[in-house]
Amino acid sequence: MAEGPYLIGIDGGTEGVRVGIFDREGSPVVFSSKDYELRHPHPGWAEQDPDEWWSCLVAAVREAMSESGAAAEEIVGISHDCTSCTVVVLDERDHVLRPAIIWMDVRAADQARRLGETGDPALKYNGFGPVSAEWMPSKALWLKKNESETYNSARRVCEYTDWMTHRLTGEWTASINNVSIRWYYDRDEGGWPESLYEAVGLDDLIEKFPQDVKDLGTVVGGLREEVAEEMGLRPDTPVAQGGVDAYVAMVGLNVLEPGKTALITGS
């Protein structure tokens, strides 16, 4: 095995979580994966339990560390990617209020149509064509209409990536890699597209979002002490902002310059 220091990469996918330990050159040392359940309570619906995400992540990290033989102090950084459009709703104590609505869930088709009909300038991100039922505003609008009590009591509405960053560090951030495409955030135009959200009655949603939007790779904070103990890692290990699984995969595939391409088809 190559000498340390080492880095941990986490992939929160559709069917399970994968953990990789890499040397400083980016070469893999070991991988571990744990599957979690995908539930379809109705046709077109798809949900998962964030508590299961977490238990699987802890098990995968512990297994990877054991198999690698690396010492906790040799891990010098952690980051992650997760499925995009996987919506998590939490109360003021950061407790999950309902199962996460994952990316493939299309129950919000009517709400997506409503968003598209606004013609708002923010819709440039989908070419002013159909809005996806998978995206954050569509799913949030469905929640507000169909589960109003849950929506109204929610302190935080976020995605899998944001939830994982918070569980690891205690910090609430959002990834520019995600919110600019799926939530219509435009840093160059002042941030959140208030006119779009107001047009469909979601003007109260923006305050429920993580407000600190960070670039990929920016250090968010250190690993929380209780999390480090749970995973067998060192407290305060730097955790960098993650992003969307398919986009981050481009880095892993070395598609980083003109003339290179990759095809990612999803699960």
Side-chain angles (χ1 to χ4, degrees):
M1 185 174 76
E3 294 184 359
Y6 303 107
L7 303 165
I8 287 181
I10 300 165
D11 171 47
T14 302
E15 297 179 333
V17 64
R18 289 160 286 278
V19 171
I21 298 179
F22 301 83
D23 66 21
R24 55 190 154 186
E25 302 300 323
S27 298
V29 174
V30 68
F31 290 101
S32 176
S33 64
K34 301 295 178 183
D35 294 340
Y36 38 66
E37 187 178 357
L38 173 60
R39 303 173 184 88
H40 299 282
H42 301 284
W45 293 29
E47 299 182 343
Q48 288 175 334
D49 180 359
D51 287 339
E52 194 174 358
W53 292 344
W54 187 253
S55 63
C56 288
L57 174 59
V58 170
V61 169
R62 283 196 162 275
E63 183 173 88
M65 289 294 291
S66 176
E67 292 185 5
S68 70
E73 57 269 20
E74 292 182 290
I75 304 298
V76 296
I78 302 169
S79 194
H80 56 283
D81 67 76
C82 301
T83 58
S84 181
C85 309
T86 294
V87 176
V88 187
V89 184
L90 306 102
D91 66 16
E92 69 281 354
R93 295 171 296 171
D94 295 325
H95 294 164
V96 174
L97 291 172
R98 69 169 329 280
I101 304 175
I102 80 162
W103 66 271
M104 66 171 65
D105 188 300
V106 292
R107 73 183 74 181
D110 287 344
Q111 287 72 31
R113 176 186 50 77
R114 281 187 58 195
L115 284 154
E117 289 173 350
T118 67
D120 191 272
L123 299 179
K124 65 184 179 182
Y125 276 120
N126 55 272
F128 295 100
V131 175
S132 175
E134 297 177 2
W135 290 8
M136 166 63 84
S138 305
K139 287 174 173 168
L141 190 55
W142 184 94
L143 282 168
K144 187 168 187 177
K145 177 183 177 182
N146 295 279
E147 297 182 8
S148 59
E149 184 175 347
T150 297
Y151 179 89
N152 292 333
S153 63
R155 172 66 183 88
R156 194 80 56 189
V157 179
C158 63
E159 290 199 21
Y160 191 172
T161 304
D162 317 319
W163 173 90
M164 183 177 288
T165 302
H166 180 260
R167 287 297 302 261
L168 293 171
T169 68
E171 302 293 332
W172 277 114
T173 68
S175 173
I176 189 68
N177 176 237
N178 188 35
V179 299
S180 61
I181 302 299
R182 312 303 194 197
W183 304 10
Y184 295 101
Y185 181 92
D186 188 339
R187 180 179 285 164
D188 295 336
E189 296 293 333
W192 306 109
E194 294 181 8
S195 61
L196 173 62
Y197 286 98
E198 289 172 358
V200 294
L202 282 177
D203 43 302
D204 59 340
L205 177 62
I206 292 174
E207 67 184 19
K208 298 175 186 286
F209 287 158
Q211 299 299 308
D212 187 5
V213 179
K214 292 191 177 296
D215 293 341
L216 280 169
T218 302
V219 175
V220 173
L223 195 66
R224 295 162 63 188
E225 184 172 356
E226 60 269 32
V227 172
E229 182 177 355
E230 197 174 3
M231 292 182 168
L233 298 174
R234 179 175 55 84
D236 295 323
T237 302
V239 178
Q241 179 65 58
V244 179
D245 52 0
Y247 300 163
V248 173
M250 297 296 177
V251 180
L253 292 168
N254 197 30
V255 183
L256 300 174
E257 59 188 33
K260 291 187 175 183
T261 188
L263 177 64
I264 298 176
T265 59
S267 299

